[in-house]
Amino acid sequence: MQLGMIGLGKMGGNMAERLRLAGHQVVGFDFSADAVAKLTATGNVGVSSLEDLAEQLKGRKAIWIMVPQGKPVDDTIAKLEALIGPGDILIDGGNSNYKDSQRRHTEVTAKGFQFVDVGTSGGVWGLKEGYSMMIGGDKDPVDYLQPIFEALAPAKDLGWGHVGPAGAGHFVKMVHNGIEYGMMQAYAEGFTIMETKKELGLDLPQISQIWRYGSVVRSWLLDLTADALAKNPTLDGLEAFVEDSGEGRWTVIEAIDLNVSAPIITESLMRRIRSREQNNFTDRMLAIMRNEFGGHAVKKD
């Protein structure tokens, strides 16, 4: 099966390679000439424009969009609409807000095209391990794309599914990432408690390996953590600065809108935000208040 792909970064490039290995052909475009050249060198077809991409695709066109969420997705869709025909499928495999996906589905289908939103997890490991895909949209295009999903997934019948109507794929991926925030925070706090108990001389890489087998807290995230600790047990050279890509924020907002208590996900998001604050004003405010009401010592620069 032939698939167009826009965005050939690490994840998009690995997805294209996994599809090639499964016998599918990817026609890919990226603003990076190096990424396009790499795609061609590995046996797929790299093109230099969206026009070339659409021209290379034969029959019913299916185009997978892997660009940053928001305006880049809208701009890409607007350009593609002039290059595709009735029944052709646009797939957003990035981390878009599910409300944007619902809107795009309405707009695209009104023009005779089809739209599928695919929440995609797997990162840089997807080429080897396969991708987890949470798919939203109408049944017809999802059924048509089944060979693509089966090739990208860890197995034909594992790690992917049509979870609901338009927007459902990105909604489920949003919650997935919110849960991921909480799991990461719990691991980070637990290992910090052990690292701080200096008198026991705990070997964190050893403990992370023990927990990987038989423990109720074992997970792929723990596997990756164990690998990271083996390479750098004391985290030398790392700055305590943690970004977020948006899904955690959207999960917290959705929980508030739905009157659902989600304290762990919320606090893990707040902790990430705090990690970016230089000379934290909040903590300095707390220190000066304690000094005022109790005469507690204040440390100064």
Side-chain angles (χ1 to χ4, degrees):
M1 186 173 178
Q2 205 178 32
L3 180 74
M5 182 169 286
I6 300 169
L8 302 172
K10 283 186 179 179
M11 192 164 177
N14 284 347
M15 292 173 72
E17 177 62 8
R18 188 172 176 89
L19 288 169
R20 184 190 68 82
L21 292 172
H24 302 284
Q25 183 190 62
V26 172
V27 179
F29 168 74
D30 194 283
F31 287 113
S32 166
D34 289 342
V36 173
K38 182 178 179 181
L39 181 74
T40 302
T42 55
N44 278 306
V45 180
V47 296
S48 58
S49 69
L50 295 183
E51 289 79 7
D52 288 343
L53 182 144
E55 187 175 331
Q56 288 276 353
L57 295 173
K58 307 304 179 185
R60 188 181 186 184
K61 296 177 176 62
I63 302 175
W64 191 298
I65 301 168
M66 290 292 285
V67 302
Q69 65 90 15
K71 190 173 183 297
V73 178
D74 287 324
D75 290 347
T76 302
I77 289 174
K79 292 174 183 176
L80 288 172
E81 286 174 341
L83 305 172
I84 61 176
D88 289 345
I89 308 167
L90 299 176
I91 309 146
D92 182 2
N95 286 323
S96 290
N97 188 297
Y98 81 96
K99 294 179 181 178
D100 286 337
S101 297
Q102 290 175 327
R103 169 181 57 80
R104 289 170 185 140
H105 175 270
T106 299
E107 294 171 351
V108 165
T109 55
K111 298 172 183 176
F113 313 124
Q114 295 185 306
F115 180 87
V116 175
D117 55 288
V118 182
T120 310
S121 180
V124 297
W125 290 89
L127 175 58
K128 177 184 176 183
E129 303 287 342
Y131 296 89
S132 173
M133 291 167 291
M134 301 136 262
I135 303 159
D138 301 324
K139 185 176 185 300
D140 173 71
V142 173
D143 287 348
Y144 179 80
L145 293 166
Q146 183 170 334
I148 296 296
F149 299 137
E150 290 177 345
L152 288 172
K156 283 189 173 183
D157 57 349
L158 293 175
W160 74 277
H162 186 189
V163 298
H170 282 147
F171 182 87
V172 174
K173 177 58 161 50
M174 174 191 77
V175 177
H176 164 283
N177 282 29
I179 293 170
E180 178 187 292
Y181 280 33
M183 291 175 64
M184 291 174 68
Q185 186 65 29
Y187 280 130
E189 291 176 6
F191 277 98
T192 300
I193 292 168
M194 292 187 290
E195 194 275 336
T196 307
K197 193 69 172 176
K198 301 295 187 185
E199 62 264 35
L200 295 183
L202 300 175
D203 184 333
L204 300 190
Q206 177 202 28
I207 293 166
S208 66
Q209 291 292 342
I210 292 170
W211 285 358
R212 292 180 62 201
Y213 304 97
S215 165
V216 295
V217 300
R218 65 186 183 273
S219 69
W220 185 48
L221 180 57
L222 180 60
D223 294 342
L224 298 176
T225 302
D227 289 342
L229 285 172
K231 296 171 187 172
N232 189 355
T234 58
L235 309 186
D236 290 341
L238 295 178
E239 185 179 351
F241 186 101
V242 186
E243 279 287 8
D244 71 278
S245 56
E247 295 90 343
R249 294 174 184 240
W250 299 338
T251 305
V252 171
I253 292 168
E254 197 69 29
I256 294 170
D257 288 344
L258 294 170
N259 285 320
V260 172
S261 174
I264 292 173
I265 295 174
T266 303
E267 177 55 30
S268 66
L269 172 65
M270 294 300 105
R271 188 64 186 82
R272 288 190 180 203
I273 293 172
R274 177 170 173 159
S275 76
R276 304 166 210 155
E277 296 180 14
Q278 297 291 329
N279 197 15
N280 185 282
F281 191 84
T282 304
D283 289 347
R284 285 186 286 149
M285 282 294 301
L286 291 172
I288 200 169
M289 283 188 279
R290 290 184 78 245
N291 177 259
E292 287 296 318
F293 70 69
H296 302 287
V298 176
K299 291 185 178 180
K300 297 184 178 180
D301 293 337

